[in-house]
Amino acid sequence: MNENTNIILNFLNEYANLILVIITAVYAFLTYRMVSLTKRQIVAHIRISKAVVRSGLLARRNRNGRDIMLKEVVDKKLSVFKNEVVSFRVSLDIFNSSSGNGCIDQPKLLLRFRKSGFELELRNRNEEVGSRETIFMRGGDLAKKDLDYFMPFNKEFYKNLQKHPGQLDYFIKYRDNLNKIHIVKADKILPLM
């Protein structure tokens, strides 16, 4: 028995550092998992789950009834639109899938042309008048927000609209409480009436 004990003690003595490294690695892994699970519970995970854009570029009313503005832009000179302000209304479903409270910045409307790569970022009307208000969400909340955006005349945008009228995509861009930027493509585009 004394000989067996000496063999075991010699083995442990030779490989003590290796055994210590293995135990430390297991402990570090379990601690990391615990911290990441705790973080998921206390940090908000806010996402836009549905975005519907009502665009003033698709339709508007004039004296003769409903008039398609995209066709006007393609057919006319750009100088006609110098005093034109185009309106957009965005309806968002915002969901916080975490149990932690948090907020996101005011979402921006991003108009991007697929072929040319030109993009124009529009700020929410509340943000334009000086309000830096964020959208606060409690854990597990679902909120529906309607936001208004206005686009004054932008020559580069209208030039791209003339060249690529069917290539315009609408995106919602926002920053979460961890300062990460998210860009979500609009689910549906409707005319603004």
Side-chain angles (χ1 to χ4, degrees), residues 63-123:
R63 287 182 230 150
N64 301 333
R66 201 169 120 207
D67 193 6
I68 305 299
M69 188 172 175
L70 280 177
K71 185 171 176 11
E72 289 180 5
V73 173
V74 172
D75 293 345
K76 292 185 179 177
K77 292 181 180 177
L78 293 180
S79 60
V80 174
F81 300 100
K82 279 199 175 177
N83 297 324
E84 194 78 36
V85 175
V86 181
S87 301
F88 301 91
R89 169 157 282 183
V90 179
S91 299
L92 302 172
D93 288 352
I94 307 169
F95 180 63
N96 184 359
S97 61
S98 172
S99 58
N101 299 337
C103 60
I104 62 172
D105 283 348
Q106 288 285 330
K108 295 177 177 30
L109 179 61
L110 192 63
L111 307 173
R112 184 185 295 163
F113 289 92
R114 278 176 250 147
K115 282 192 176 180
S116 69
F118 176 81
E119 62 182 36
L120 181 65
E121 186 176 288
L122 302 176
R123 290 193 283 162

Side-chain angles (χ1 to χ4, degrees), residues 43-62:
V43 174
H45 190 262
I46 302 170
R47 298 290 177 261
I48 292 178
S49 57
K50 184 179 179 187
V52 177
V53 177
R54 295 188 181 278
S55 173
L57 289 172
L58 296 181
R60 68 177 173 166
R61 295 194 181 271
N62 65 12

Side-chain angles (χ1 to χ4, degrees), residues 4-191:
N4 287 338
T5 308
N6 282 339
I7 293 171
I8 292 172
L9 288 175
N10 284 337
F11 176 80
L12 288 176
N13 210 13
E14 286 182 32
Y15 296 104
N17 287 338
L18 178 63
I19 293 169
L20 190 60
V21 167
I22 291 170
I23 291 171
T24 305
V26 169
Y27 177 74
F29 174 74
L30 292 175
T31 303
Y32 171 77
R33 280 193 58 211
M34 184 178 67
V35 167
S36 65
L37 289 172
T38 304
K39 183 180 172 185
R40 273 194 222 153
Q41 289 180 343
I42 61 173
V43 174
H45 190 262
I46 302 170
R47 298 290 177 261
I48 292 178
S49 57
K50 184 179 179 187
V52 177
V53 177
R54 295 188 181 278
S55 173
L57 289 172
L58 296 181
R60 68 177 173 166
R61 295 194 181 271
N62 65 12
R63 287 182 230 150
N64 301 333
R66 201 169 120 207
D67 193 6
I68 305 299
M69 188 172 175
L70 280 177
K71 185 171 176 11
E72 289 180 5
V73 173
V74 172
D75 293 345
K76 292 185 179 177
K77 292 181 180 177
L78 293 180
S79 60
V80 174
F81 300 100
K82 279 199 175 177
N83 297 324
E84 194 78 36
V85 175
V86 181
S87 301
F88 301 91
R89 169 157 282 183
V90 179
S91 299
L92 302 172
D93 288 352
I94 307 169
F95 180 63
N96 184 359
S97 61
S98 172
S99 58
N101 299 337
C103 60
I104 62 172
D105 283 348
Q106 288 285 330
K108 295 177 177 30
L109 179 61
L110 192 63
L111 307 173
R112 184 185 295 163
F113 289 92
R114 278 176 250 147
K115 282 192 176 180
S116 69
F118 176 81
E119 62 182 36
L120 181 65
E121 186 176 288
L122 302 176
R123 290 193 283 162
N124 178 334
R125 180 178 54 101
N126 290 338
E127 197 174 346
E128 285 180 355
V129 294
S131 171
R132 297 292 297 161
E133 181 180 303
T134 59
I135 298 174
F136 177 77
M137 302 285 295
R138 295 190 187 282
D141 270 359
L142 172 68
K144 295 180 181 291
K145 296 281 184 186
D146 288 330
L147 304 170
D148 293 320
Y149 299 85
F150 300 101
M151 182 185 74
F153 178 75
N154 183 309
K155 189 174 184 177
E156 199 63 33
F157 176 83
Y158 279 103
K159 281 182 181 178
N160 277 284
L161 197 57
Q162 282 183 330
K163 289 178 188 174
H164 317 288
Q167 300 294 316
L168 180 61
D169 286 328
Y170 297 80
F171 295 91
I172 309 303
K173 179 180 175 182
Y174 66 98
R175 187 182 306 266
D176 66 10
N177 55 341
L178 298 175
N179 214 21
K180 185 177 178 186
I181 295 175
H182 301 272
I183 298 177
V184 179
K185 188 172 184 179
D187 297 309
K188 199 184 278 188
I189 312 299
L190 301 170

